[in-house]
Amino acid sequence: MTLSALAVLVRHNTSLQHISLDSNPVNSGNKGIESVNMLAESLGENKVLRTLSLKRCGISLQGCSALSKASQRNTTLVGLDIECNNCAESDTLSIKEQLSHNSKQYCDELAVKANAREVERNESLLKLQEQENIKKEKIAMQWLADEKAKREESRRVEMERQQLKGRKEHAYKQRIEQINMMEEERKAVTKKKGK
C-alpha cells in the first residue's frame, strides 16, 4: 500500500485506531513529500485514529511541519511517534502539546463514559430493586388476602358450629319439655285411673 492510498484510508476511516509504519521510507523526492502532506491532511480530518507511529520513515522537515499542523486539528490522536526523522524541535514540541491535550480530553471522555455506564448500571439495579419490591409487595398483599380469607372462613365455620350447637340445645330442650309433658300426662292419667 502506498502512503497516498493510506492517506485516503485515514481520511475515510471510521474504525481503525492504530497504525504503525515504522521503518518504512515515505519521503522519496517530491512524490514522498506530497504523500506525507496528504497523510497530514487526512490526519487533520480523521476522528477515530488514536495512534500513528512513523519512526525511522525518513520524513523531512516539511513533512514534520505538515504533521505538526495536522495534529493541531486532530482531537482524537493521543500518540504520534515521529522519532528518528528529520523534525524540528518546535514541531516535535507542538505535536507533544497537542497529544497531551488530546490525551487529557480522551481520559475525560473515558471518565464520562465510565460514569454514564455506572449511572446506567445503578439505574438498572434500582429498576431491579423496584421490581423486586413490587414482587414482594404483591406476595405480601396476597398473603394478607389469604390470611383474611382464612379468618373469615374460620369465623363462618365457628358461627355455623355455634348455630348448630344452639339448634341442638334448643331441640334437646324441646325434647326434654315433650318428655316432661308426656310424663305429666301419664301421671295425670294414672291419677285419674286411681280415683
Side-chain angles (χ1 to χ4, degrees):
M1 174 183 284
T2 66
L3 191 57
S4 302
L6 180 63
V8 171
L9 175 81
V10 168
R11 175 172 283 149
H12 301 289
N13 171 41
T14 57
S15 59
L16 192 62
Q17 294 187 342
H18 308 282
I19 298 174
S20 175
L21 296 175
D22 294 349
S23 301
N24 284 296
V26 294
N27 217 9
S28 54
N30 285 340
K31 191 162 181 141
I33 292 171
E34 227 177 88
S35 296
V36 171
N37 286 339
M38 280 180 68
L39 178 62
E41 239 180 79
S42 297
L43 195 58
E45 295 176 20
N46 184 280
K47 301 296 178 212
V48 292
L49 193 65
R50 294 286 175 202
T51 61
L52 174 61
S53 185
L54 299 169
K55 286 191 243 180
R56 297 175 304 279
C57 290
I59 299 173
S60 67
L61 280 170
Q62 287 176 317
C64 286
S65 178
L67 288 170
S68 174
K69 287 175 187 167
S71 73
Q72 302 306 307
R73 296 190 322 269
N74 185 301
T75 57
T76 57
L77 199 64
V78 293
L80 176 58
D81 194 345
I82 53 170
E83 238 180 80
C84 301
N85 287 294
N86 190 18
C87 297
E89 189 175 335
S90 60
D91 290 331
T92 304
L93 288 174
S94 176
I95 290 171
K96 185 177 180 182
E97 284 175 18
Q98 184 60 38
L99 294 181
S100 177
H101 173 75
N102 290 356
S103 290
K104 184 187 177 318
Q105 190 174 356
Y106 181 60
C107 288
D108 291 346
E109 286 173 14
L110 289 177
V112 166
K113 286 178 184 175
N115 189 35
R117 282 193 302 272
E118 185 65 24
V119 166
E120 188 178 308
R121 181 179 165 272
N122 287 340
E123 286 174 354
S124 295
L125 289 174
L126 284 174
K127 282 181 185 176
L128 286 173
Q129 185 64 45
E130 189 177 306
Q131 289 171 350
E132 187 65 28
N133 289 343
I134 289 169
K135 186 178 176 183
K136 285 179 181 178
E137 188 177 320
K138 284 181 181 177
I139 289 169
M141 295 301 284
Q142 184 62 49
W143 181 82
L144 287 173
D146 291 347
E147 287 299 306
K148 183 180 178 183
K150 284 178 189 176
R151 284 192 306 273
E152 287 173 358
E153 179 63 15
S154 181
R155 279 190 211 117
R156 187 189 64 73
V157 166
E158 182 59 26
M159 281 178 60
E160 285 179 3
R161 192 180 69 74
Q162 290 295 332
Q163 288 172 352
L164 183 61
K165 182 181 176 184
R167 283 195 298 268
K168 283 182 179 179
E169 285 176 0
H170 181 71
Y172 179 73
K173 283 180 185 176
Q174 281 182 334
R175 183 71 181 139
I176 294 290
E177 285 176 11
Q178 284 176 349
I179 291 172
N180 286 340
M181 281 176 59
M182 285 171 54
E183 184 63 30
E184 282 179 24
E185 283 177 10
R186 189 184 61 77
K187 281 182 185 178
V189 168
T190 310
K191 202 176 188 187
K192 266 188 186 179
K193 282 186 186 180
K195 285 191 183 175

